[in-house]
Amino acid sequence: MTPSANSRTAGTGTAAGTAPGTAPGTAADATADPAAPRGPLTGGVVPPLVTPLTEDRALDVPSFERLIGRLLEAGVDGLFVLGSTGEAAFCTDELRAQVISEAVRVTAGRVPVLAGVIDTQTGRVLRQLEAARQAGAEGVVATAPFYAATHAPQVRRHFEILGERADVPVYAYDIPACVHTKLDPDMLVELGLSGAIAGVKDSSGDDVAFRRLALRNRDEGGPLTLFTGHEAVVDGAYLAGADGVVPGLANVDPDGYVRMHAAFRRGDWTAVRGEQDRLAALMEITRVATSVTGWGAGVGAFKTALMLQGVIAHNQLPQPFEAFGGDDAEAVRAVLGTAGLLPPSPAPLRPPLP
């Protein structure tokens, strides 16, 4: 790890832990030389991209280009590929490398590209980390180890090893529903103080633990950038001390999350709540499917919405899941229509961003 790779002082903007309405700056002010190394993100909107697939389940590069172009046009602060929404658990190593390299190519330095390096144990994560770095990722996102039972001392050492070996910022991904380990707030702040990690993406659903993390982070001077992954309660996370959001729903409505973050930065809490209420209603697309539940219902809804909006060509899912069709697709269409997010029918495919 380079000395400043995971240090908050290396990034743009100010440290985490600022009071609501005085949020830190973000890395989306892309007036700097794209070739110059950037420090860690210090907040903002960082959508976790879906991975568009062709009907035969290869990466749909033109659709990926259109998706990235749309997000950049909306003014997001970074992109996160190969998270839960991005199908990391389903991708071969070859597909992972292709997803990262294509995202880096299309983004062309305009915002940082973070890559999930999610794998079962430390050695495998290190291999994913090296592949992500070679593909051009400017930061990596890692969960606790999983499958083999792993306890607190080993979880701490896992992140210390990643920090020692990485020459890009490391972000801890707290998602106990998938890895069956809840990351301890005190441990996370201590890892931030040591420089092992630069931030946390919290998808734990544990509001009390997140508040504890935010308070400890603030008390220690803000060594960590804190992102919430819960797109329906971002307003509450901002009030608690979040610096930014990683919302899967931003694939479908990036402008809403960008507007909400801008309102947060200027302290307009009425606007923050108004955007959040609208986005929470839109999040119902993840609950309307009757043929599938869980992960497939959520990502299947995002992909179906993007297809209906003319952003991606297919709503294919990885095996063993199948694309939404029939009543499920029509239910997604109805929610989009109520939200005013359907283009004139039939939706033309958007051209890629130059």
Side-chain angles (χ1 to χ4, degrees), residues 121-142:
Q121 294 293 324
T122 306
R124 297 179 64 87
V125 176
L126 288 171
R127 185 177 67 180
Q128 299 292 352
L129 190 157
E130 178 58 26
R133 190 67 189 96
Q134 289 182 3
E138 294 187 50
V140 294
V141 183

Side-chain angles (χ1 to χ4, degrees), residues 252-345:
V252 179
D253 187 2
D255 299 282
Y257 284 98
V258 170
R259 287 193 300 266
M260 180 163 54
H261 190 73
F264 159 55
R265 292 191 63 183
R266 66 177 183 265
D268 185 349
W269 291 98
T270 299
V272 169
R273 180 174 180 177
E275 285 290 352
Q276 183 64 92
D277 286 348
R278 188 184 62 80
L279 290 163
L282 178 62
M283 192 65 178
E284 289 300 307
I285 63 171
T286 66
R287 298 179 176 88
V288 296
T290 58
S291 65
V292 65
T293 60
W295 181 90
V299 176
F302 294 159
K303 285 190 168 184
T304 300
L306 287 165
M307 181 182 70
L308 293 170
Q309 291 176 324
V311 178
I312 66 176
H314 309 281
N315 62 339
Q316 183 64 282
L317 295 172
Q319 292 177 321
F321 295 93
E322 299 293 340
F324 279 20
D327 292 343
D328 288 345
E330 288 307 309
V332 171
R333 184 192 298 274
V335 177
L336 289 177
T338 299
L341 292 175
L342 277 176
S345 185

Side-chain angles (χ1 to χ4, degrees), residues 40-336:
L41 278 164
T42 56
V45 180
V46 184
L49 276 66
V50 302
T51 299
L53 301 175
T54 63
E55 290 184 348
D56 60 359
R57 295 186 168 91
L59 179 64
D60 184 346
V61 174
S63 290
F64 202 34
E65 291 173 341
R66 287 189 293 270
L67 174 61
I68 292 172
R70 181 195 200 199
L71 296 173
L72 294 175
E73 287 175 354
V76 302
D77 300 285
L79 301 175
F80 172 34
V81 298
L82 299 176
S84 304
T85 301
E87 305 176 10
F90 301 89
C91 292
T92 63
D93 288 352
E94 293 76 16
L95 181 54
R96 287 191 185 206
Q98 184 186 11
V99 167
I100 300 168
S101 62
E102 289 292 346
V104 170
R105 176 186 65 81
V106 177
T107 304
R110 284 171 281 193
V111 298
V113 174
L114 310 183
V117 292
I118 299 161
D119 216 321
T120 52
Q121 294 293 324
T122 306
R124 297 179 64 87
V125 176
L126 288 171
R127 185 177 67 180
Q128 299 292 352
L129 190 157
E130 178 58 26
R133 190 67 189 96
Q134 289 182 3
E138 294 187 50
V140 294
V141 183
T143 67
F146 55 97
Y147 189 79
T150 309
H151 301 291
Q154 292 76 43
V155 172
R156 179 189 294 268
R157 185 60 189 142
H158 170 76
F159 285 107
E160 289 173 344
I161 291 169
L162 298 185
E164 291 164 2
R165 294 283 293 274
D167 60 356
V168 295
V170 176
Y171 297 84
Y173 190 176
D174 193 8
I175 185 165
C178 293
V179 304
H180 309 297
T181 295
K182 175 74 182 78
L183 298 180
D184 178 70
D186 290 333
M187 179 197 72
L188 289 168
V189 174
E190 290 161 8
L191 288 167
L193 288 167
S194 73
I197 63 173
V200 177
K201 185 208 172 192
D202 180 81
S203 295
S204 69
D206 187 336
D207 293 340
V208 174
F210 183 77
R211 189 59 171 259
R212 290 183 58 227
L213 172 61
L215 287 171
R216 176 75 191 277
N217 191 52
R218 184 182 67 192
D219 289 346
E220 295 292 346
L224 297 171
T225 300
L226 303 182
F227 291 96
T228 179
H230 293 291
E231 49 264 273
V233 289
V234 180
D235 51 352
Y238 282 153
L239 281 167
D243 302 298
V245 57
V246 183
L249 189 62
N251 286 277
V252 179
D253 187 2
D255 299 282
Y257 284 98
V258 170
R259 287 193 300 266
M260 180 163 54
H261 190 73
F264 159 55
R265 292 191 63 183
R266 66 177 183 265
D268 185 349
W269 291 98
T270 299
V272 169
R273 180 174 180 177
E275 285 290 352
Q276 183 64 92
D277 286 348
R278 188 184 62 80
L279 290 163
L282 178 62
M283 192 65 178
E284 289 300 307
I285 63 171
T286 66
R287 298 179 176 88
V288 296
T290 58
S291 65
V292 65
T293 60
W295 181 90
V299 176
F302 294 159
K303 285 190 168 184
T304 300
L306 287 165
M307 181 182 70
L308 293 170
Q309 291 176 324
V311 178
I312 66 176
H314 309 281
N315 62 339
Q316 183 64 282
L317 295 172
Q319 292 177 321
F321 295 93
E322 299 293 340
F324 279 20
D327 292 343
D328 288 345
E330 288 307 309
V332 171
R333 184 192 298 274
V335 177
L336 289 177

